[in-house]
């Protein structure tokens, strides 16, 4: 009897996590509008100031969106903070809606979507914490779509659209490179090798094809900003700070997002490595082994996403070897982000999982397989066979237990405070005066 009706329990868990996200959004919006509990999202906060980076001090990485916001402000003044909140929420809802539509259309279980490896931290780790990530992943979907269309038809329009979206996303945030382009370059390389049977010719063709993207990335990497750029950016928004001040009425100091431009690459890597790989899971317990545990669990959860059926709609079989290939490749290319160029694991894991699922969908719809080195396909086949052979890994209750207890915090290394509902409760307590 329990087995036949157990899907009701999973539905309750699914609804509960969705409810926690909505409540976090409500609390965050209330705190933002009323500026209650302190001014968490003033101009100087990372969540706001990162959007304000523009080109008023010269070209600098991540400045495109800020320049657009600044240009619109010059046309007609408006409260930029509120515009940023609106853009953030629209992007988050658009990404969530897209994923739900894809999952339903493909017959994939949506159970994992509201959890920490996907959409949970969009609102539950401070209101604007994921910043431009949702928009970046939406653009990644467009790049995947148009590039695969180009590879099948070689129409110049599809390549032009691929380049246009590539330029926009890299100028918006350079981290998009890692979860968008290397996997397509790999696919291009091995497709050309299969067609021409010459690795040299394939490499030359790939270098020519992807040269514009590489040049944009290098240009962005070189122009990382300095103290003068930082001060010029902040000065450009002074009119906005005066016209639309926060409740304190004080003029903000240079924001954390803008100030981060002043760090050197080596300083940033050392900073991120210490926070992720030298962190503590609990007092006297290092995070590093649990970081590895997060990687293994995420691979399992994504490649076996139909293990848990809530019976909202019929689930359909899918090629988990193909999905495994994508997940492995995306993980390898995202290694620089896992504690070296970023310390926000709660943002990087969705880069990994969501980009993998979006690419899997595009390839499935186009009836195309990801071209990868043969050994990756062998690994995927071996790993999926091993999972098939362990009955526990094919149990819905075990899948649920793993995803609910995943110690993925919104930032830094793995920690027990990342376990649901611990993370949410700690955030709620932040707003309760004791």
């Amino acid at each position: 009897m329990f087995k036949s009706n157990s899907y009701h329990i999973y539905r309750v868990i699914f609804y509960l996590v969705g409810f926690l996200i909505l409540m976090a959004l409500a609390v965050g919006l209330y705190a933002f509008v009323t500026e209650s509990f302190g001014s968490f999202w003033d101009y100087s906060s990372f969540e706001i100031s990162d959007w304000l980076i523009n080109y008023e001090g010269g070209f600098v990485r991540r400045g495109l969106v800020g320049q657009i916001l600044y240009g619109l402000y010059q046309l007609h003044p408006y409260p930029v903070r509120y515009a940023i909140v609106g853009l953030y929420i629209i992007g988050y809802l658009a990404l969530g809606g897209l994923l739900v539509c894809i999952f339903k259309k493909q017959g994939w279980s949506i159970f994992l979507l509201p959890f920490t490896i996907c959409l949970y931290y969009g609102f539950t780790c401070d209101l604007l914490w994921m910043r431009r990530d949702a928009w970046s992943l939406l653009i990644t979907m467009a790049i995947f779509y148009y590039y695969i269309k180009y590879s099948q038809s070689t129409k110049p329009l599809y390549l032009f659209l691929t380049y246009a979206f590539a330029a926009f996303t890299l100028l918006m945030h350079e981290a998009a490179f890692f979860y968008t382009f290397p996997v397509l370059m790999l696919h291009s390389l091995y497709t050309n090798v299969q067609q021409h049977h010459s690795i040299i010719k394939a490499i030359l063709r790939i270098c020519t094809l992807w040269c514009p993207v590489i040049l944009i990335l290098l240009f962005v990497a070189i122009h990382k900003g300095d103290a003068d750029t930082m001060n010029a950016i902040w000065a450009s928004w002074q009119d906005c700070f005066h016209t639309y001040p926060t409740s304190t009425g004080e003029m903000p100091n240079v924001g954390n997002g803008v100030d981060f431009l002043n760090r050197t690459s080596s300083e940033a890597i050392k900073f991120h490595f210490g926070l992720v790989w030298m962190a503590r899971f609990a007092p006297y317990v290092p995070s590093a082994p649990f970081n590895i545990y997060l990687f293994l669990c995420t691979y399992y959860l994504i490649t076996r996403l139909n293990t848990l059926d809530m019976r909202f709609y019929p689930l359909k079989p899918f090629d988990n070897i193909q999905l495994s290939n994508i997940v492995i490749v995306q993980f390898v290319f995202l290694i620089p982000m896992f504690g070296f160029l970023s310390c926000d694991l709660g943002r990087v894991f969705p880069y990994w999982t969501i980009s993998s699922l979006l690419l899997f969908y595009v390839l499935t719809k186009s009836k195309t397989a990801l071209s990868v080195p043969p050994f990756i396909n062998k690994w995927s086949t071996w790993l999926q066979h091993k999972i098939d052979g362990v009955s526990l890994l094919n149990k819905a209750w075990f899948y649920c237990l793993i995803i609910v207890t995943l110690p993925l915090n919104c930032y830094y290394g793995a920690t027990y405070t990342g376990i649901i509902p611990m993370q949410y409760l700690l955030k709620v307590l932040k707003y309760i005066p004791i």
Side-chain angles (χ1 to χ4, degrees):
M1 185 68 176
F2 173 78
K3 185 176 180 180
S4 63
N5 294 322
S6 60
Y7 70 92
H8 290 299
I9 297 175
Y10 304 131
R11 284 188 180 185
V12 170
I13 295 172
F14 177 82
Y15 289 137
L16 178 60
V17 177
F19 175 77
L20 295 180
I21 293 175
L22 291 176
M23 289 301 99
L25 169 61
V27 171
L29 283 175
Y30 175 80
F32 180 84
V33 173
T34 64
E35 298 189 31
S36 304
F37 319 121
S39 195
F40 293 110
W41 301 286
D42 60 14
Y43 291 108
S44 296
S45 68
F46 217 124
E47 292 81 0
I48 295 293
S49 61
D50 191 52
W51 290 78
L52 300 180
I53 300 170
N54 58 33
Y55 301 146
E56 294 307 299
F59 182 84
V60 67
R61 62 181 177 142
R62 307 183 188 182
L64 180 59
V65 174
Q67 188 63 30
I68 293 172
L69 292 174
Y70 180 78
L72 292 174
Y73 186 86
Q74 300 310 302
L75 292 175
H76 190 282
Y78 64 94
V80 174
R81 287 199 314 143
Y82 283 84
I84 290 171
V85 172
L87 283 172
Y88 179 88
I89 293 175
I90 292 170
Y92 184 86
L93 294 179
L95 179 63
L98 174 65
L99 290 171
V100 169
C101 290
I102 288 174
F103 274 55
K104 185 176 180 181
K105 186 175 183 179
Q106 296 300 109
W108 303 341
S109 174
I110 62 172
F111 184 77
L112 62 80
L113 286 185
F115 285 90
T116 55
I117 58 173
C118 283
L119 299 174
Y120 178 83
Y121 283 127
F123 291 131
T124 55
C125 185
D126 293 338
L127 178 62
L128 307 172
W129 176 72
M130 294 185 73
R131 304 195 286 284
R132 292 157 290 193
D133 294 351
W135 288 105
S136 180
L137 286 165
L138 288 168
I139 295 172
T140 289
M141 169 69 172
I143 292 170
F144 288 160
Y145 174 79
Y146 285 116
Y147 177 73
I148 296 302
K149 293 284 283 185
Y150 169 74
S151 67
Q152 292 179 324
S153 67
T154 67
K155 290 184 178 180
L157 175 62
Y158 294 137
L159 184 60
F160 170 78
L161 290 171
T162 300
Y163 288 155
F165 281 113
F168 192 95
T169 195
L170 290 175
L171 295 176
M172 182 173 67
H173 197 296
E174 70 281 359
F177 175 83
F178 296 100
Y179 53 83
T180 306
F181 299 103
V183 65
L184 296 182
M185 294 175 182
L186 180 69
H187 176 75
S188 303
L189 176 63
Y190 275 86
T191 299
N192 274 274
V193 169
Q194 292 167 2
Q195 292 174 350
H196 303 286
H197 306 288
S198 170
I199 189 69
I200 302 299
K201 288 183 179 179
I203 291 174
L204 291 175
R205 289 173 64 90
I206 297 314
C207 289
T208 302
L209 177 64
W210 292 106
C211 181
V213 173
I214 298 299
L215 289 176
I216 293 172
L217 178 66
L218 291 175
F219 191 67
V220 169
I222 292 171
H223 294 80
K224 63 182 185 61
D226 53 26
D228 291 336
T229 304
M230 173 187 71
N231 291 326
I233 291 170
W234 207 243
S236 70
W237 289 104
Q238 289 302 308
D239 181 73
C240 179
F241 301 155
H242 284 89
T243 306
Y244 302 99
T246 58
S247 60
T248 63
E250 297 178 0
M251 288 300 98
N253 296 321
V254 175
N256 296 326
V258 175
D259 184 59
F260 205 80
L261 296 174
N262 203 27
R263 288 180 181 264
T264 65
S265 298
S266 59
E267 287 174 342
I269 292 173
K270 183 178 180 181
F271 174 76
H272 294 139
F273 182 85
L275 291 175
V276 173
W277 292 100
M278 304 302 290
R280 291 286 179 265
F281 179 84
Y284 308 108
V285 180
S287 288
F290 293 93
N291 292 344
I292 305 301
Y293 172 76
L294 286 174
F295 299 146
L296 297 174
C297 287
T298 300
Y299 171 84
Y300 159 71
L301 292 168
I302 296 299
T303 62
R304 312 301 286 213
L305 57 84
N306 276 0
T307 301
L308 195 154
D309 186 358
M310 293 184 291
R311 302 189 188 180
F312 286 143
Y313 48 79
L315 300 186
K316 303 174 185 177
F318 61 88
D319 186 352
N320 57 0
I321 303 298
Q322 160 93 321
L323 179 55
S324 172
N325 289 343
I326 295 171
V327 171
I328 290 172
V329 169
Q330 287 295 77
F331 169 75
V332 170
F333 289 133
L334 272 165
I335 285 176
M337 298 297 292
F338 286 112
F340 301 95
L341 300 179
S342 173
C343 61
D344 298 334
L345 289 191
R347 294 176 66 197
V348 179
F349 271 80
Y351 293 166
W352 177 23
T353 60
I354 295 176
S355 68
S356 296
L357 291 167
L358 292 177
L359 179 58
F360 182 53
Y361 169 71
V362 170
L363 291 172
T364 301
K365 292 299 292 181
S366 64
K367 298 180 181 179
T368 303
L370 180 68
S371 295
V372 296
F375 69 86
I376 293 180
N377 198 70
K378 290 181 180 179
W379 286 354
S380 292
T381 302
W382 182 82
L383 287 168
Q384 293 303 309
H385 178 72
K386 288 296 183 182
I387 293 174
D388 285 333
V390 180
S391 60
L392 186 64
L393 296 179
N394 294 279
K395 302 291 186 182
W397 67 265
F398 185 76
Y399 184 97
C400 180
L401 179 67
I402 291 295
I403 200 168
V404 169
T405 61
L406 208 62
L408 175 61
N409 201 9
C410 48
Y411 37 69
Y412 311 158
T415 171
Y416 74 95
T417 61
I419 297 173
I420 294 176
M422 181 72 73
Q423 174 66 33
Y424 179 83
L425 292 176
L426 290 175
K427 288 297 176 184
V428 170
L429 290 173
K430 176 180 177 181
Y431 301 107
I432 300 177
I434 298 177

